[in-house]
Amino acid sequence: MSTLCSDQAILTLGGNEYKFPIVEGSEAERGIDISDLRAKTGHITLDKGYGNTGSCESAITYIDGEKGILRYRGIPIEQFAMGPTFTDVAWLLINGRLPTTAEYDEFSADLTRYANLDESMRHQFEGFPRVAPPMAILSAMINALSCFHPELHELEDESQFRHAAARLISKIRTIAAYAFRHSRGLPNIYPDPALRYVPNFMHMMFSQPYKQYICPQLVRDALNLILILHADHEQNCSTSTVRMVGSSGANLFASCAAGVCALWGPLHGGANVEVLTMLEQIHQGNITPEEYVKQAKSKDSKVRLMGFGHRVYKNFDPRAKMLGAIAEKLLPQLSAGDPLLEIARRLEEIALSDPYFIERQLYPNVDFYSGILLRAIGIPTNMFTVIFAIGRLPGWIAHWWEQNQTQANRIARPRQIYVGETHRDFVLRDNRR
Ligand code: CMC
């Protein structure tokens, strides 16, 4: 809960003075509480893109964009490079603290137990065309899960919620792998209960019916870290979508399916695909890094330097720093060096010394290096954003539950400034000109 500050904000409007309380969070972040602004003044606020709007109070993730700080439940993101599993982090985000060994084992066992899809759900993949984008299948199938688990629409207590969360975190991996196999016309590979979260996913992606894919430790570690670094990022577009859908009382599956759709966009999770497309264009010699940056700066072009810039970070995105360092270390071992890494480094160098990017405080974001790493561990480009979704799911779930448990939850319903036609009369078709 935020605390009430002793000082107040004063708004002068039409000769009247209105006072609004100021609230403060645990990291001294302050907000003017305008809950009764319209009731008091008849005015609303206009904040396009919600850049100044706090939509909720949350205890899950803290970001200081100016200083480049990111913490999950208080723990700095850099400390997650020290070897926790994605399962650990998922539990932490959802439950607010690190799991004990017994809790970890139970959660891990649930993730193994729930990995299979209902057989009739498995057959539904056949109905999608081969070219269907895996993100579309992912969203549709997460939504479809609610048809197979009607008992989980209304979560009565914490234990039921935890089982629903484990089901979803486990099954998203299976759905993702089946979506990929379908796009390649390959038979589905059932989850292997002997494997942990990451190697099991890679097994379902790449094993053949006659030959099991053995996930190298290096690949496992890299993917584990990629998932962790994507696990939550406070009120980003997809998480806000999950919260907005959930605010209407929609169930966990439906809310997270909506989150997948929001993540798909190229300005959000879809940027990891766009980064790779950009790097490949440069690699193929279609354009030089210098020319690309020039286009990205031009107001006459729609080109942006993909993987650069962030609504919140006005400094290095700490996740990009970590991924860049890992790419540098792992790539020579994984794929004997990738020319795209060189191109990325060159783009970064040009942009970071260009006044356009300096003035606008545009730095590499999480998507700048994640695609290069994913490619190095064998993940096809059409699955990049799906991997982001698998990583982000624990965050979505944590936010959905936090909101669900908030007594004062109100349906999310912004207002607008109407700019359309003023009153006019309906005209019968015969009388229209
Ligand atoms: N390349 C060139 N110019 C840029 C870029 C970029 N990548 N990003 C922002 N700008 C410019 C923008 O044109 C504007 O210039 P001006 O003030 O002259 O009009 C200024 O910087 C501010 O940009 P904005 O669009 O108002 O910033 P925003 O906070 O609304 O958007 C963003 C943030 C991430 C959508 C944007 O920086 C962007 O489009 N980046 C490229 C896409 C990308 O990498 N997305 C991944 C985001 S991080 C992971 C995630 O959330 O999924």
Side-chain angles (χ1 to χ4, degrees), residues 233 236-237 263 265-272 275 296-297 299 303-312 314 317 319 356-357 360 362 365-368 388 392:
H233 214 237
N236 56 85
C237 177
L263 187 73
L267 296 187
H268 191 10
N272 55 15
V275 169
K297 294 191 296 182
K299 292 288 161 214
V303 172
R304 283 199 162 191
L305 185 56
M306 298 312 284
F308 254 73
H310 200 278
R311 171 61 61 80
V312 180
K314 301 302 165 202
D317 177 339
R319 303 166 302 171
Y356 174 95
F357 291 88
R360 289 168 179 76
L362 303 171
N365 60 48
V366 69
D367 292 315
F368 195 65
F388 192 151
R392 184 55 54 89

mmCIF file of all heavy atoms in Angstrom, residues 233 236-237 263 265-272 275 296-297 299 303-312 314 317 319 356-357 360 362 365-368 388 392, ligand 1:
data_model
loop_
_atom_site.group_PDB
_atom_site.id
_atom_site.type_symbol
_atom_site.label_atom_id
_atom_site.label_comp_id
_atom_site.label_asym_id
_atom_site.label_seq_id
_atom_site.Cartn_x
_atom_site.Cartn_y
_atom_site.Cartn_z
ATOM 1 N N HIS A 233 7.843 -6.762 -16.279
ATOM 2 C CA HIS A 233 8.354 -5.416 -16.538
ATOM 3 C C HIS A 233 7.281 -4.389 -16.199
ATOM 4 O O HIS A 233 6.980 -3.510 -16.991
ATOM 5 C CB HIS A 233 8.806 -5.302 -18.001
ATOM 6 C CG HIS A 233 9.973 -4.394 -18.138
ATOM 7 N ND1 HIS A 233 9.977 -3.300 -18.941
ATOM 8 C CD2 HIS A 233 11.173 -4.398 -17.505
ATOM 9 C CE1 HIS A 233 11.140 -2.684 -18.824
ATOM 10 N NE2 HIS A 233 11.881 -3.327 -17.962
ATOM 11 N N ASN A 236 3.793 -2.609 -18.603
ATOM 12 C CA ASN A 236 3.991 -2.512 -20.053
ATOM 13 C C ASN A 236 2.676 -2.801 -20.781
ATOM 14 O O ASN A 236 1.673 -3.158 -20.157
ATOM 15 C CB ASN A 236 5.077 -3.511 -20.471
ATOM 16 C CG ASN A 236 4.715 -4.902 -20.035
ATOM 17 O OD1 ASN A 236 3.991 -5.604 -20.728
ATOM 18 N ND2 ASN A 236 5.149 -5.302 -18.847
ATOM 19 N N CYS A 237 2.702 -2.680 -22.105
ATOM 20 C CA CYS A 237 1.467 -2.780 -22.886
ATOM 21 C C CYS A 237 0.730 -4.121 -22.661
ATOM 22 O O CYS A 237 -0.479 -4.144 -22.411
ATOM 23 C CB CYS A 237 1.822 -2.581 -24.360
ATOM 24 S SG CYS A 237 0.449 -2.740 -25.478
ATOM 25 N N LEU A 263 1.352 -8.369 -26.903
ATOM 26 C CA LEU A 263 2.808 -8.550 -26.990
ATOM 27 C C LEU A 263 3.275 -8.679 -28.440
ATOM 28 O O LEU A 263 4.413 -8.358 -28.777
ATOM 29 C CB LEU A 263 3.212 -9.804 -26.200
ATOM 30 C CG LEU A 263 4.713 -10.040 -26.059
ATOM 31 C CD1 LEU A 263 5.324 -9.048 -25.079
ATOM 32 C CD2 LEU A 263 5.012 -11.456 -25.594
ATOM 33 N N GLY A 265 2.720 -7.101 -31.121
ATOM 34 C CA GLY A 265 3.003 -5.889 -31.910
ATOM 35 C C GLY A 265 4.485 -5.567 -32.011
ATOM 36 O O GLY A 265 5.243 -5.791 -31.069
ATOM 37 N N PRO A 266 4.908 -5.013 -33.171
ATOM 38 C CA PRO A 266 6.340 -4.726 -33.391
ATOM 39 C C PRO A 266 6.927 -3.661 -32.468
ATOM 40 O O PRO A 266 8.135 -3.591 -32.317
ATOM 41 C CB PRO A 266 6.396 -4.273 -34.853
ATOM 42 C CG PRO A 266 5.005 -3.874 -35.210
ATOM 43 C CD PRO A 266 4.091 -4.702 -34.352
ATOM 44 N N LEU A 267 6.078 -2.840 -31.841
ATOM 45 C CA LEU A 267 6.639 -1.853 -30.904
ATOM 46 C C LEU A 267 6.849 -2.458 -29.526
ATOM 47 O O LEU A 267 7.459 -1.860 -28.647
ATOM 48 C CB LEU A 267 5.723 -0.630 -30.788
ATOM 49 C CG LEU A 267 5.545 0.188 -32.068
ATOM 50 C CD1 LEU A 267 4.767 1.459 -31.790
ATOM 51 C CD2 LEU A 267 6.882 0.515 -32.720
ATOM 52 N N HIS A 268 6.308 -3.661 -29.333
ATOM 53 C CA HIS A 268 6.428 -4.337 -28.024
ATOM 54 C C HIS A 268 7.246 -5.617 -28.246
ATOM 55 O O HIS A 268 8.359 -5.554 -28.743
ATOM 56 C CB HIS A 268 5.002 -4.583 -27.508
ATOM 57 C CG HIS A 268 4.882 -5.022 -26.077
ATOM 58 N ND1 HIS A 268 5.922 -5.022 -25.190
ATOM 59 C CD2 HIS A 268 3.815 -5.495 -25.376
ATOM 60 C CE1 HIS A 268 5.508 -5.462 -24.009
ATOM 61 N NE2 HIS A 268 4.224 -5.757 -24.097
ATOM 62 N N GLY A 269 6.702 -6.777 -27.930
ATOM 63 C CA GLY A 269 7.481 -8.024 -28.018
ATOM 64 C C GLY A 269 7.908 -8.372 -29.436
ATOM 65 O O GLY A 269 8.952 -9.009 -29.644
ATOM 66 N N GLY A 270 7.094 -7.957 -30.410
ATOM 67 C CA GLY A 270 7.405 -8.275 -31.809
ATOM 68 C C GLY A 270 8.679 -7.593 -32.290
ATOM 69 O O GLY A 270 9.192 -7.907 -33.370
ATOM 70 N N ALA A 271 9.221 -6.677 -31.476
ATOM 71 C CA ALA A 271 10.438 -5.966 -31.887
ATOM 72 C C ALA A 271 11.626 -6.920 -32.031
ATOM 73 O O ALA A 271 12.538 -6.662 -32.818
ATOM 74 C CB ALA A 271 10.767 -4.862 -30.883
ATOM 75 N N ASN A 272 11.620 -8.053 -31.290
ATOM 76 C CA ASN A 272 12.782 -8.951 -31.409
ATOM 77 C C ASN A 272 12.890 -9.548 -32.811
ATOM 78 O O ASN A 272 13.981 -9.792 -33.318
ATOM 79 C CB ASN A 272 12.820 -10.010 -30.284
ATOM 80 C CG ASN A 272 11.549 -10.835 -30.176
ATOM 81 O OD1 ASN A 272 10.722 -10.842 -31.092
ATOM 82 N ND2 ASN A 272 11.382 -11.534 -29.067
ATOM 83 N N VAL A 275 14.150 -6.664 -35.115
ATOM 84 C CA VAL A 275 15.589 -6.415 -34.974
ATOM 85 C C VAL A 275 16.356 -7.352 -35.898
ATOM 86 O O VAL A 275 17.257 -6.940 -36.637
ATOM 87 C CB VAL A 275 16.056 -6.613 -33.503
ATOM 88 C CG1 VAL A 275 17.577 -6.612 -33.406
ATOM 89 C CG2 VAL A 275 15.480 -5.529 -32.604
ATOM 90 N N ALA A 296 16.369 5.938 -39.856
ATOM 91 C CA ALA A 296 15.644 5.871 -38.574
ATOM 92 C C ALA A 296 15.457 7.274 -37.968
ATOM 93 O O ALA A 296 14.514 7.516 -37.226
ATOM 94 C CB ALA A 296 16.383 4.968 -37.595
ATOM 95 N N LYS A 297 16.365 8.176 -38.312
ATOM 96 C CA LYS A 297 16.271 9.537 -37.757
ATOM 97 C C LYS A 297 15.355 10.439 -38.586
ATOM 98 O O LYS A 297 14.903 11.466 -38.110
ATOM 99 C CB LYS A 297 17.669 10.174 -37.728
ATOM 100 C CG LYS A 297 18.633 9.490 -36.779
ATOM 101 C CD LYS A 297 19.904 10.298 -36.571
ATOM 102 C CE LYS A 297 20.724 10.470 -37.812
ATOM 103 N NZ LYS A 297 21.967 11.200 -37.605
ATOM 104 N N LYS A 299 12.324 12.106 -40.367
ATOM 105 C CA LYS A 299 10.885 12.225 -40.092
ATOM 106 C C LYS A 299 10.066 11.826 -41.317
ATOM 107 O O LYS A 299 8.860 11.614 -41.227
ATOM 108 C CB LYS A 299 10.541 13.677 -39.695
ATOM 109 C CG LYS A 299 11.120 14.083 -38.353
ATOM 110 C CD LYS A 299 10.406 13.413 -37.191
ATOM 111 C CE LYS A 299 11.242 13.446 -35.928
ATOM 112 N NZ LYS A 299 11.116 12.293 -35.058
ATOM 113 N N VAL A 303 10.837 4.230 -40.726
ATOM 114 C CA VAL A 303 11.842 3.317 -40.166
ATOM 115 C C VAL A 303 12.228 3.765 -38.760
ATOM 116 O O VAL A 303 12.389 4.953 -38.500
ATOM 117 C CB VAL A 303 13.098 3.312 -41.081
ATOM 118 C CG1 VAL A 303 14.236 2.535 -40.444
ATOM 119 C CG2 VAL A 303 12.755 2.745 -42.440
ATOM 120 N N ARG A 304 12.358 2.799 -37.868
ATOM 121 C CA ARG A 304 12.895 3.070 -36.528
ATOM 122 C C ARG A 304 14.069 2.143 -36.297
ATOM 123 O O ARG A 304 14.124 1.052 -36.877
ATOM 124 C CB ARG A 304 11.841 2.813 -35.458
ATOM 125 C CG ARG A 304 10.844 3.940 -35.390
ATOM 126 C CD ARG A 304 10.074 3.964 -34.099
ATOM 127 N NE ARG A 304 9.463 5.286 -33.945
ATOM 128 C CZ ARG A 304 8.890 5.729 -32.856
ATOM 129 N NH1 ARG A 304 8.842 4.963 -31.791
ATOM 130 N NH2 ARG A 304 8.361 6.925 -32.790
ATOM 131 N N LEU A 305 14.981 2.557 -35.478
ATOM 132 C CA LEU A 305 16.068 1.648 -35.121
ATOM 133 C C LEU A 305 15.479 0.646 -34.136
ATOM 134 O O LEU A 305 15.254 0.959 -32.962
ATOM 135 C CB LEU A 305 17.227 2.441 -34.505
ATOM 136 C CG LEU A 305 18.474 1.628 -34.187
ATOM 137 C CD1 LEU A 305 19.001 0.890 -35.407
ATOM 138 C CD2 LEU A 305 19.567 2.525 -33.621
ATOM 139 N N MET A 306 15.175 -0.540 -34.640
ATOM 140 C CA MET A 306 14.456 -1.516 -33.813
ATOM 141 C C MET A 306 15.373 -2.025 -32.695
ATOM 142 O O MET A 306 16.568 -2.215 -32.899
ATOM 143 C CB MET A 306 13.937 -2.670 -34.679
ATOM 144 C CG MET A 306 12.956 -2.226 -35.739
ATOM 145 S SD MET A 306 11.648 -1.126 -35.129
ATOM 146 C CE MET A 306 10.565 -2.258 -34.288
ATOM 147 N N GLY A 307 14.759 -2.229 -31.512
ATOM 148 C CA GLY A 307 15.564 -2.648 -30.362
ATOM 149 C C GLY A 307 16.190 -1.456 -29.647
ATOM 150 O O GLY A 307 17.015 -1.627 -28.762
ATOM 151 N N PHE A 308 15.794 -0.248 -30.049
ATOM 152 C CA PHE A 308 16.284 0.967 -29.401
ATOM 153 C C PHE A 308 15.115 1.779 -28.866
ATOM 154 O O PHE A 308 14.067 1.851 -29.498
ATOM 155 C CB PHE A 308 17.060 1.835 -30.405
ATOM 156 C CG PHE A 308 18.543 1.788 -30.186
ATOM 157 C CD1 PHE A 308 19.261 0.657 -30.529
ATOM 158 C CD2 PHE A 308 19.219 2.858 -29.620
ATOM 159 C CE1 PHE A 308 20.628 0.591 -30.322
ATOM 160 C CE2 PHE A 308 20.585 2.810 -29.404
ATOM 161 C CZ PHE A 308 21.295 1.681 -29.758
ATOM 162 N N GLY A 309 15.324 2.402 -27.731
ATOM 163 C CA GLY A 309 14.303 3.279 -27.166
ATOM 164 C C GLY A 309 13.393 2.521 -26.211
ATOM 165 O O GLY A 309 13.228 1.301 -26.310
ATOM 166 N N HIS A 310 12.870 3.241 -25.266
ATOM 167 C CA HIS A 310 11.952 2.632 -24.301
ATOM 168 C C HIS A 310 11.141 3.723 -23.633
ATOM 169 O O HIS A 310 11.657 4.809 -23.377
ATOM 170 C CB HIS A 310 12.738 1.847 -23.237
ATOM 171 C CG HIS A 310 11.900 0.840 -22.526
ATOM 172 N ND1 HIS A 310 11.087 1.189 -21.473
ATOM 173 C CD2 HIS A 310 11.716 -0.473 -22.748
ATOM 174 C CE1 HIS A 310 10.450 0.106 -21.068
ATOM 175 N NE2 HIS A 310 10.801 -0.911 -21.827
ATOM 176 N N ARG A 311 9.877 3.431 -23.367
ATOM 177 C CA ARG A 311 9.030 4.413 -22.695
ATOM 178 C C ARG A 311 9.568 4.761 -21.311
ATOM 179 O O ARG A 311 9.545 5.913 -20.884
ATOM 180 C CB ARG A 311 7.603 3.852 -22.582
ATOM 181 C CG ARG A 311 6.652 4.662 -21.735
ATOM 182 C CD ARG A 311 6.435 6.075 -22.263
ATOM 183 N NE ARG A 311 5.867 6.106 -23.591
ATOM 184 C CZ ARG A 311 4.578 5.939 -23.888
ATOM 185 N NH1 ARG A 311 3.715 5.745 -22.914
ATOM 186 N NH2 ARG A 311 4.157 5.965 -25.123
ATOM 187 N N VAL A 312 10.105 3.783 -20.608
ATOM 188 C CA VAL A 312 10.511 4.024 -19.221
ATOM 189 C C VAL A 312 12.024 4.252 -19.082
ATOM 190 O O VAL A 312 12.454 5.142 -18.354
ATOM 191 C CB VAL A 312 10.074 2.841 -18.320
ATOM 192 C CG1 VAL A 312 10.486 3.080 -16.873
ATOM 193 C CG2 VAL A 312 8.568 2.638 -18.405
ATOM 194 N N LYS A 314 15.431 5.699 -19.682
ATOM 195 C CA LYS A 314 16.103 6.817 -20.318
ATOM 196 C C LYS A 314 17.598 6.635 -20.071
ATOM 197 O O LYS A 314 18.369 7.574 -19.940
ATOM 198 C CB LYS A 314 15.597 8.159 -19.750
ATOM 199 C CG LYS A 314 14.099 8.349 -19.942
ATOM 200 C CD LYS A 314 13.665 8.271 -21.419
ATOM 201 C CE LYS A 314 12.171 8.085 -21.603
ATOM 202 N NZ LYS A 314 11.788 7.510 -22.902
ATOM 203 N N ASP A 317 18.875 -0.156 -20.794
ATOM 204 C CA ASP A 317 17.984 -1.185 -20.259
ATOM 205 C C ASP A 317 18.912 -2.258 -19.655
ATOM 206 O O ASP A 317 19.738 -2.831 -20.368
ATOM 207 C CB ASP A 317 17.164 -1.742 -21.441
ATOM 208 C CG ASP A 317 16.238 -2.875 -21.065
ATOM 209 O OD1 ASP A 317 16.467 -3.513 -20.028
ATOM 210 O OD2 ASP A 317 15.291 -3.131 -21.838
ATOM 211 N N ARG A 319 18.532 -5.185 -18.890
ATOM 212 C CA ARG A 319 18.390 -6.498 -19.536
ATOM 213 C C ARG A 319 19.206 -6.550 -20.817
ATOM 214 O O ARG A 319 19.797 -7.567 -21.152
ATOM 215 C CB ARG A 319 16.912 -6.777 -19.828
ATOM 216 C CG ARG A 319 16.033 -6.728 -18.593
ATOM 217 C CD ARG A 319 14.563 -6.662 -18.964
ATOM 218 N NE ARG A 319 14.262 -5.495 -19.800
ATOM 219 C CZ ARG A 319 13.100 -5.280 -20.408
ATOM 220 N NH1 ARG A 319 12.134 -6.160 -20.279
ATOM 221 N NH2 ARG A 319 12.898 -4.199 -21.150
ATOM 222 N N TYR A 356 21.032 12.673 -32.189
ATOM 223 C CA TYR A 356 19.593 12.354 -32.244
ATOM 224 C C TYR A 356 19.228 11.374 -31.126
ATOM 225 O O TYR A 356 18.269 11.587 -30.380
ATOM 226 C CB TYR A 356 19.264 11.738 -33.619
ATOM 227 C CG TYR A 356 17.843 11.228 -33.758
ATOM 228 C CD1 TYR A 356 16.849 12.026 -34.321
ATOM 229 C CD2 TYR A 356 17.481 9.946 -33.324
ATOM 230 C CE1 TYR A 356 15.544 11.556 -34.462
ATOM 231 C CE2 TYR A 356 16.183 9.472 -33.451
ATOM 232 C CZ TYR A 356 15.225 10.279 -34.024
ATOM 233 O OH TYR A 356 13.931 9.821 -34.146
ATOM 234 N N PHE A 357 20.015 10.317 -30.991
ATOM 235 C CA PHE A 357 19.710 9.285 -29.986
ATOM 236 C C PHE A 357 20.094 9.768 -28.585
ATOM 237 O O PHE A 357 19.400 9.465 -27.615
ATOM 238 C CB PHE A 357 20.426 7.974 -30.344
ATOM 239 C CG PHE A 357 19.860 7.336 -31.587
ATOM 240 C CD1 PHE A 357 20.342 7.673 -32.849
ATOM 241 C CD2 PHE A 357 18.803 6.444 -31.506
ATOM 242 C CE1 PHE A 357 19.795 7.126 -34.003
ATOM 243 C CE2 PHE A 357 18.249 5.892 -32.655
ATOM 244 C CZ PHE A 357 18.741 6.232 -33.913
ATOM 245 N N ARG A 360 17.431 12.249 -27.287
ATOM 246 C CA ARG A 360 16.151 11.585 -26.966
ATOM 247 C C ARG A 360 16.310 10.450 -25.962
ATOM 248 O O ARG A 360 15.355 9.741 -25.660
ATOM 249 C CB ARG A 360 15.509 11.049 -28.251
ATOM 250 C CG ARG A 360 14.994 12.163 -29.142
ATOM 251 C CD ARG A 360 14.626 11.631 -30.521
ATOM 252 N NE ARG A 360 14.115 12.692 -31.376
ATOM 253 C CZ ARG A 360 14.864 13.629 -31.966
ATOM 254 N NH1 ARG A 360 16.171 13.636 -31.775
ATOM 255 N NH2 ARG A 360 14.315 14.543 -32.734
ATOM 256 N N LEU A 362 17.776 7.510 -26.201
ATOM 257 C CA LEU A 362 17.400 6.219 -26.780
ATOM 258 C C LEU A 362 18.579 5.256 -26.663
ATOM 259 O O LEU A 362 19.643 5.504 -27.228
ATOM 260 C CB LEU A 362 16.998 6.399 -28.254
ATOM 261 C CG LEU A 362 15.864 7.394 -28.526
ATOM 262 C CD1 LEU A 362 15.717 7.655 -30.017
ATOM 263 C CD2 LEU A 362 14.556 6.859 -27.958
ATOM 264 N N ASN A 365 17.336 -1.685 -26.027
ATOM 265 C CA ASN A 365 16.407 -2.316 -25.087
ATOM 266 C C ASN A 365 16.563 -3.839 -25.151
ATOM 267 O O ASN A 365 17.408 -4.358 -25.891
ATOM 268 C CB ASN A 365 14.967 -1.856 -25.356
ATOM 269 C CG ASN A 365 14.498 -2.215 -26.759
ATOM 270 O OD1 ASN A 365 14.667 -3.349 -27.195
ATOM 271 N ND2 ASN A 365 13.921 -1.249 -27.466
ATOM 272 N N VAL A 366 15.737 -4.540 -24.399
ATOM 273 C CA VAL A 366 15.880 -5.993 -24.251
ATOM 274 C C VAL A 366 15.850 -6.730 -25.593
ATOM 275 O O VAL A 366 16.470 -7.779 -25.761
ATOM 276 C CB VAL A 366 14.787 -6.545 -23.294
ATOM 277 C CG1 VAL A 366 13.397 -6.457 -23.910
ATOM 278 C CG2 VAL A 366 15.075 -7.959 -22.850
ATOM 279 N N ASP A 367 15.138 -6.155 -26.563
ATOM 280 C CA ASP A 367 14.983 -6.856 -27.837
ATOM 281 C C ASP A 367 16.202 -6.729 -28.740
ATOM 282 O O ASP A 367 16.296 -7.412 -29.754
ATOM 283 C CB ASP A 367 13.741 -6.329 -28.577
ATOM 284 C CG ASP A 367 12.470 -6.711 -27.856
ATOM 285 O OD1 ASP A 367 12.369 -7.876 -27.452
ATOM 286 O OD2 ASP A 367 11.595 -5.849 -27.667
ATOM 287 N N PHE A 368 17.129 -5.837 -28.401
ATOM 288 C CA PHE A 368 18.241 -5.582 -29.316
ATOM 289 C C PHE A 368 19.140 -6.816 -29.458
ATOM 290 O O PHE A 368 19.577 -7.152 -30.541
ATOM 291 C CB PHE A 368 19.039 -4.359 -28.854
ATOM 292 C CG PHE A 368 19.954 -3.821 -29.921
ATOM 293 C CD1 PHE A 368 19.436 -3.285 -31.086
ATOM 294 C CD2 PHE A 368 21.342 -3.864 -29.773
ATOM 295 C CE1 PHE A 368 20.265 -2.804 -32.088
ATOM 296 C CE2 PHE A 368 22.178 -3.378 -30.769
ATOM 297 C CZ PHE A 368 21.640 -2.847 -31.923
ATOM 298 N N PHE A 388 9.328 -14.823 -25.879
ATOM 299 C CA PHE A 388 9.080 -13.659 -25.012
ATOM 300 C C PHE A 388 7.806 -13.916 -24.204
ATOM 301 O O PHE A 388 7.756 -13.693 -22.981
ATOM 302 C CB PHE A 388 8.948 -12.406 -25.901
ATOM 303 C CG PHE A 388 8.977 -11.075 -25.195
ATOM 304 C CD1 PHE A 388 9.462 -9.942 -25.853
ATOM 305 C CD2 PHE A 388 8.525 -10.912 -23.894
ATOM 306 C CE1 PHE A 388 9.489 -8.699 -25.235
ATOM 307 C CE2 PHE A 388 8.548 -9.664 -23.267
ATOM 308 C CZ PHE A 388 9.026 -8.561 -23.947
ATOM 309 N N ARG A 392 7.242 -13.979 -20.265
ATOM 310 C CA ARG A 392 6.427 -12.937 -19.625
ATOM 311 C C ARG A 392 5.221 -13.507 -18.865
ATOM 312 O O ARG A 392 4.631 -12.818 -18.020
ATOM 313 C CB ARG A 392 5.982 -11.931 -20.699
ATOM 314 C CG ARG A 392 5.202 -10.713 -20.252
ATOM 315 C CD ARG A 392 5.884 -9.878 -19.177
ATOM 316 N NE ARG A 392 7.228 -9.435 -19.468
ATOM 317 C CZ ARG A 392 7.576 -8.308 -20.084
ATOM 318 N NH1 ARG A 392 6.639 -7.483 -20.464
ATOM 319 N NH2 ARG A 392 8.850 -7.988 -20.275
HETATM 320 N N1 CMC B 1 14.382 4.847 -33.629
HETATM 321 C C1 CMC B 1 14.333 6.149 -34.022
HETATM 322 N N2 CMC B 1 13.686 7.100 -33.317
HETATM 323 C C2 CMC B 1 13.086 6.730 -32.186
HETATM 324 C C3 CMC B 1 13.101 5.412 -31.730
HETATM 325 C C4 CMC B 1 13.797 4.448 -32.493
HETATM 326 N N3 CMC B 1 13.860 3.186 -32.098
HETATM 327 N N4 CMC B 1 12.417 5.323 -30.578
HETATM 328 C C5 CMC B 1 11.958 6.556 -30.315
HETATM 329 N N5 CMC B 1 12.374 7.416 -31.278
HETATM 330 C C6 CMC B 1 12.146 8.862 -31.321
HETATM 331 C C7 CMC B 1 10.724 9.207 -31.760
HETATM 332 O O1 CMC B 1 10.634 9.333 -33.168
HETATM 333 C C8 CMC B 1 10.479 10.492 -31.013
HETATM 334 O O2 CMC B 1 11.180 11.516 -31.714
HETATM 335 P P1 CMC B 1 10.572 13.031 -31.724
HETATM 336 O O3 CMC B 1 10.599 13.482 -30.294
HETATM 337 O O4 CMC B 1 11.477 13.780 -32.617
HETATM 338 O O5 CMC B 1 9.179 12.911 -32.268
HETATM 339 C C9 CMC B 1 11.228 10.280 -29.684
HETATM 340 O O6 CMC B 1 12.266 9.360 -29.993
HETATM 341 C C10 CMC B 1 10.336 9.726 -28.585
HETATM 342 O O7 CMC B 1 9.739 8.527 -29.076
HETATM 343 P P2 CMC B 1 8.292 7.998 -28.695
HETATM 344 O O8 CMC B 1 7.764 7.186 -29.818
HETATM 345 O O9 CMC B 1 7.451 9.148 -28.236
HETATM 346 O O10 CMC B 1 8.616 7.086 -27.483
HETATM 347 P P3 CMC B 1 7.640 6.054 -26.816
HETATM 348 O O11 CMC B 1 7.980 6.034 -25.382
HETATM 349 O O12 CMC B 1 6.229 6.365 -27.180
HETATM 350 O O13 CMC B 1 7.998 4.659 -27.531
HETATM 351 C C11 CMC B 1 9.118 2.683 -28.085
HETATM 352 C C12 CMC B 1 8.836 3.714 -26.988
HETATM 353 C C13 CMC B 1 9.840 1.495 -27.447
HETATM 354 C C14 CMC B 1 7.799 2.164 -28.660
HETATM 355 C C15 CMC B 1 9.994 3.334 -29.183
HETATM 356 O O14 CMC B 1 11.231 3.747 -28.632
HETATM 357 C C16 CMC B 1 10.218 2.410 -30.374
HETATM 358 O O15 CMC B 1 9.397 2.365 -31.276
HETATM 359 N N6 CMC B 1 11.343 1.615 -30.379
HETATM 360 C C17 CMC B 1 11.561 0.650 -31.431
HETATM 361 C C18 CMC B 1 10.722 -0.608 -31.166
HETATM 362 C C19 CMC B 1 11.282 -1.433 -30.024
HETATM 363 O O16 CMC B 1 12.471 -1.693 -29.947
HETATM 364 N N7 CMC B 1 10.376 -1.906 -29.138
HETATM 365 C C20 CMC B 1 10.732 -2.736 -27.999
HETATM 366 C C21 CMC B 1 10.519 -2.015 -26.698
HETATM 367 S S1 CMC B 1 11.296 -2.796 -25.280
HETATM 368 C C22 CMC B 1 10.569 -4.318 -25.066
HETATM 369 C C23 CMC B 1 9.080 -4.335 -25.039
HETATM 370 O O17 CMC B 1 8.426 -3.480 -24.435
HETATM 371 O O18 CMC B 1 8.529 -5.248 -25.619
#
